[in-house]
Amino acid sequence: MQQIINFIIRNKTFLLFLLLFSVSIVFTIQSHSYHKSKFINSANFLTGGIYNTFNNFSSYLNLKSQNQLLAEENNRLKSLLFNSETALDSVFIDSVSFGKIYKFTSANIIKNSYSLTDNVLLINKGANDSIKEDFGVITSKGILGITGSTSKNYANVISILNTTSQISAQLKKTNHYGSLTWNGDSPNIVQLLDVEKIAPVLVGDTIVTSGRSSIFPKNINIGIVQDFELDAAENFYEINVRLFNDMTNLEHVYVIENKDVKEIINLLNSN
Amino acid sequence: MNSVLSINSIRFLVLILTQVLICSQIIFFGYINPYIYILFIILYPVKNNRSLFIFLSFLLGLIVDLFLDSGGIHAASSVFIAYARPIVLKFSFGMIYQHQSIKFDSVDFGAKLSYITIMVAVHHIILFSLEIFSISKIILILQKSLFSSIFTIILCVLITIIFSRKSK
């Protein structure tokens, strides 16, 4: 016993080092598995508050380009609104129910990140605005990611530029779908994997969300096909998708809540 | 003694804020980032309580991790260089270190440069290995470590020169 205590006292620095090092390795491994980073995330009072204060100043720097984006979106929405009046009348039941399934909340990005391999963003809306885990986040141009852990006033967004993120996506012209992942190389290009060989893919095709995951509605823009090839087994396409979003310049986003998600999950689990 | 304490606490806070609000927003060519917060570990007094020093480094890394949503990669690499610091000190400064009398403001510039270089390089290699976490991307790890190291070393040397209290 005496010897054990002596050993601990003699090597206390090394043991402390070993302890702290393994604690941090555990945190690292947790952060590499999707949605597991519960302790170490920036959605808390202190870091969220500091980022928010700083963002209050720095958001002035790109006010012009952000206004431009919002004006473009207004323009697009106005043209949709005025051109689709007749169409709305004929299918009004559908459009009303569509509006009830998905609830949109606008939010601001207060911490952007795109240079790491696992990027996590921070937005200034949280549990107080009824934002929970697994809500979709989009911008005016395309999808951005899925919410992760939340605090009262802030929420983490697991970006599509994260090697652990997987989102169901499909070709706009046909319903062939695959899963959208990122290989960590370029912040403009993401990869669409597992698309059936039979799908008629062409360079320049638009890729949209498939609506299969109950997180995103169908037909939200993602990007266009830059190039594609068959995988090693020659059964599926691997498609490089150029994003519509400029991931390096983000400010205004929308959080989408699917109100029927419980019902869908219950139904899936009951089978 | 009191001034050592206050200088180091101020340095701790200022370096964290500078790191997360300024340096992590600089992104050269898509992936080059300086990590200057390790200056705290580099410039910590040589005569110290080693356990406390290692614990402070862990805390420093963990706070940076909190801000950058990076799990525990900064904590791990900070703890590692804090533990390995005596070896690097001995290698770079040789005899002076044996007498425990290094003042970072007044040592030979070459020795100081080699000390900073080794510390930063080791830190960055561990940092990016843990961040990317895949052997198959070793080229990317080395590339990121190399370019970010160069940037960090330049900034660290400049900061130590600007803020050195040598009066001539």
Side-chain angles (χ1 to χ4, degrees), chain B residues 104-156:
Chain B
F104 288 113
D105 290 340
S106 57
V107 289
D108 181 34
F109 181 74
K112 194 160 89 175
L113 186 66
S114 88
Y115 167 60
I116 292 179
T117 308
I118 296 171
M119 293 286 273
V120 170
V122 171
H123 175 268
H124 280 38
I125 288 171
I126 295 174
L127 181 74
F128 288 114
S129 318
L130 287 178
E131 187 209 312
I132 295 167
F133 217 59
S134 138
I135 287 288
S136 60
K137 288 184 181 155
I138 189 142
I139 299 293
L140 186 66
I141 294 175
L142 292 177
Q143 188 189 10
K144 272 190 159 183
S145 319
L146 177 68
F147 290 124
S148 283
S149 295
I150 293 172
F151 200 14
T152 309
I153 291 164
I154 292 173
L155 273 183
C156 284

